[in-house]
Amino acid sequence: MIFLKSAREIETLRHANLIVAEILQELRQKVAPGVTTLELDALAEELTYKNNAQPAFKGYVMAGRVYPCTLCTSINEEIVHGIPSDRQLRDGDIVGLDFGVIYDGFYGDSAITVGVGKVDDEAKRLIQVTEEALYKGIEQLREGKRLGDLASVIQTTVESAGFSVVRVFVGHGIGKKLHEEPPVPNYGDPDRGLRLKEGMVLAIEPMVNAGGYEVEIKEDGWTAVTKDGSLAAHFEHSVAITKKGPYILSKI
Ligand code: MF3
Ligand code: CO
């Protein structure tokens, strides 16, 4: 069941996602060598409550496992769902910050990947291409287009840069639940799949590996890493489809 959102619901989703966007900017400023991912998690949680919102990920159950933190922090070969710990970020690392809140019954969800200190050119290019793929995909979010149009633009952008798109994790509808229908893959063929309609709100989240697209899950049951140990990047925006085109709810 795909829930179409009213203009009023979209404004509440905007509020939730703007809180997410502003907190992600604060977190980005804090990223530096020596900072632990648990310190980032604590800051995210404090700012969430200051904004009269609740963490969306803490306590979230996926495949029978309970996620323990407010933030997901995925370092280097970690793709998504890295769990904050006392591990310190190091100069040259890249770190994915994936963050969600609930505000007035509606979810916000967005992610960025940032370099720590001085990052090498290939890591920078991976981050740039992943963000570019996200924005090119978002351009396709218009009434009458199909999910395959979005997917193929993302896949082509990533693969023509020599990187690969993760298959086993996908984006999703978002609203009164964090994960609603439909699933939103980042690979596929144009002119295929669901036809997009005004009122749909989708979280688009390309996960891009510098090497192959295969994934492994670490012993903690959450952290997804690249099978070949290559670097990975992840960007995510929650976007409403409106008469005027895509409305990026998680952008300041
Ligand atoms: N942005 C991620 C997603 O959409 C966050 C989920 S982490 C979890 O899947 F802990 F909440 F599962
Ligand atoms: Co998401």
Side-chain angles (χ1 to χ4, degrees), residues 68-247:
C69 293
T70 293
L71 195 62
C72 299
T73 52
S74 306
I75 303 169
N76 298 336
E77 77 285 357
E78 299 175 354
I79 308 165
V80 286
H81 304 162
I83 301 173
S85 72
D86 58 7
R87 174 174 174 180
Q88 291 182 2
L89 296 172
R90 293 164 55 163
D91 190 55
D93 284 346
I94 64 172
V95 60
L97 306 174
D98 188 351
F99 175 53
V101 303
I102 313 167
Y103 176 82
D104 201 10
F106 285 86
Y107 280 81
D109 187 11
S110 182
I112 57 176
T113 299
V114 290
V116 183
K118 207 165 146 32
V119 165
D120 75 34
D121 287 348
E122 194 58 2
K124 272 189 204 146
R125 194 171 72 88
L126 177 69
I127 290 173
Q128 275 164 12
V129 167
T130 307
E131 189 170 25
E132 183 195 343
L134 170 62
Y135 281 107
K136 283 193 176 165
I138 288 171
E139 262 310 299
Q140 299 295 309
L141 293 178
R142 296 171 187 277
E143 172 120 8
K145 290 267 189 185
R146 301 177 70 165
L147 274 186
D149 297 323
L150 161 107
S152 80
V153 165
I154 292 176
Q155 183 177 12
T156 305
T157 305
V158 168
E159 291 180 356
S160 53
F163 301 137
S164 62
V165 162
V166 170
R167 266 54 165 177
V168 294
F169 298 108
V170 296
H172 49 93
I174 182 167
K176 286 184 185 172
K177 289 210 229 153
L178 176 60
H179 294 142
E180 293 186 355
E181 285 182 48
V184 182
N186 298 298
Y187 61 93
D189 297 318
D191 214 24
R192 296 265 182 265
L194 182 76
R195 234 171 251 290
L196 301 178
K197 274 204 183 115
E198 187 189 341
M200 288 180 178
V201 180
L202 303 175
I204 313 300
E205 48 179 319
M207 287 145 270
V208 175
N209 297 352
Y213 63 72
E214 296 87 353
V215 162
E216 269 175 11
I217 307 294
K218 285 215 225 170
E219 321 75 66
D220 62 20
W222 282 100
T223 313
V225 295
T226 58
K227 194 166 182 188
D228 59 13
S230 64
L231 288 184
H234 175 219
F235 280 83
E236 175 174 20
H237 272 311
S238 295
V239 186
I241 299 171
T242 75
K243 261 196 205 50
K244 291 192 227 155
Y247 176 16

